[in-house]
Amino acid sequence: MKRARLCFLLAASFLCHIAAGQSVTSQQLPGQGQYVLLIHGGAGTILRSKMTSGKEKVYREALEAALKAGYAKIKDGQPALEAVQAAIRIMEDNPLFNAGKGAVFTHGGRNELDAAIMDGNTRKAGAVTGVTTIKNPIDAARAVMERSEHVMLSGKGAEQFAKQCGLTIVRPKYFYTEERWQGLQKAIRDEAPKTKVGHRQQQPGTGFPDYKFGTVGAVALDRNGNLAAGTSTGGMTNKRFGRIGDSPVIGAGTYASNKTAAVSCTGWGEYFIRNVAAYDLSALMEYKSMPVKEAGDAVITKIGSSGGNGGLIALDRNGNAAMPFNTAGMYRAAITKDGKITIFLYND
Ligand code: ASP
């Protein structure tokens, strides 16, 4: 009898696991109610067993540098938007991450960058997509938000606008890195079997190929209680046909509202767009009064059930943080108002 019950429980938990896709990692963070800035550097197959101590150190230092740059703004009494932009800029300039310098290559051998930023206080937002010459796409996203009447600008038009705004313009080859170039060659070799649009076929729940990891994001809470969120990415290695992911899509990869939370997502963008992930988290908080952590877990569980992978960072206006993901790992870091830093890479 006991054995039958045990079998039933095991079967039920197995079925739940399948239904939910990959399991969600979402630890209890130590400084709840105290956080002012969270960042991520992408979700993917980040395994302790595959990491050398040297590589881990470099990632930790990079995350810490970005966190400190953003924290300096908060400490100085500047708006959350400034903190988000400062943290993301640092990661865009670091070739470790798939954003700015270090962005992945398209099938055609280009680097096409996307970024978005949103102010939780005014719910104004700005985004750029498919840009190839703007050194820091997060700066361009902010300029769209503050210096145009639009929300999203793409390609050549976005570049022209950035130039007019006096932002730093570079030659496309500035974004070249040997590692990403080799990543493209590998993706092309591994490509078959393909879907119609040239993306690698992936069975739900089997994990996503790391062709799209290293996106960066930040969410911040300033002294006035205002929230902001931002995300920047090179998108997905081997992407074609002007593919745009979730990162620059307001409500999908990036969202902020002072009523609920600031959110930045990372992972398989198509699933985050279809699930309107970042806004879904906000809606769960607003309409169902869910705490931010529960809402974050629910969103990533839903992404998993639909066959997608990735993670997100979310911060509410009381300094509560959530960092759930369903990949093997996610580069992520948080800082409290007293400057206490925590950095995580893996799922333990
Ligand atoms: N979400 C991004 C995209 O699909 C990629 C990532 O987060 O790694 O473009």
Side-chain angles (χ1 to χ4, degrees), residues 40-44 98 104 114 208 210-216 231-237 239 243-248 253 265-273 309-311:
H40 70 74
N98 171 18
V104 298
D114 305 330
F208 72 163
D210 279 343
Y211 295 159
K212 42 186 173 320
F213 104 94
T215 289
V216 306
T231 313
S232 181
T233 188
M236 184 175 129
T237 301
K239 66 186 180 182
R243 180 263 187 192
I244 306 291
D246 60 312
S247 312
C265 302
T266 176
W268 197 339
E270 280 68 14
Y271 289 87
F272 284 78
I273 294 175
N309 299 61

Side-chain angles (χ1 to χ4, degrees), residues 62 79 118 179 284 308 335:
M118 185 159 182
E179 200 182 334
L284 288 170
I335 188 162

Side-chain angles (χ1 to χ4, degrees), residues 160-323:
Q160 207 183 329
F161 173 76
K163 199 169 172 189
Q164 263 178 31
C165 290
L167 302 186
T168 308
I169 302 298
V170 291
R171 286 168 189 243
K173 73 167 191 252
Y174 162 80
F175 297 105
Y176 181 94
T177 58
E178 186 58 25
E179 200 182 334
R180 298 300 188 196
W181 181 252
Q182 291 311 328
L184 172 64
Q185 307 316 313
K186 181 173 184 321
I188 291 173
R189 279 196 305 273
D190 291 354
E191 204 168 25
K194 289 186 296 189
T195 61
K196 266 193 283 182
V197 289
H199 295 173
R200 190 177 173 192
Q201 277 276 19
Q202 190 73 27
Q203 292 303 317
T206 58
F208 72 163
D210 279 343
Y211 295 159
K212 42 186 173 320
F213 104 94
T215 289
V216 306
V219 291
L221 171 65
D222 64 28
R223 287 226 192 114
N224 294 323
N226 292 320
L227 290 165
T231 313
S232 181
T233 188
M236 184 175 129
T237 301
N238 203 22
K239 66 186 180 182
R240 302 181 194 205
F241 312 122
R243 180 263 187 192
I244 306 291
D246 60 312
S247 312
V249 179
I250 298 303
T254 307
Y255 190 73
S257 166
N258 275 4
K259 275 198 205 165
T260 53
V263 190
S264 170
C265 302
T266 176
W268 197 339
E270 280 68 14
Y271 289 87
F272 284 78
I273 294 175
R274 291 185 196 115
N275 284 288
V276 202
Y279 180 72
D280 197 30
L281 187 153
S282 171
L284 288 170
M285 291 180 70
E286 188 171 352
Y287 304 131
K288 281 195 146 184
S289 307
M290 265 193 198
V292 67
K293 185 171 179 300
E294 223 177 284
D297 290 354
V299 168
I300 295 303
T301 301
K302 200 163 154 192
I303 294 282
S305 320
S306 59
N309 299 61
L312 59 83
I313 52 172
L315 183 63
D316 76 11
R317 68 176 310 176
N318 298 315
N320 298 308
M323 296 176 144

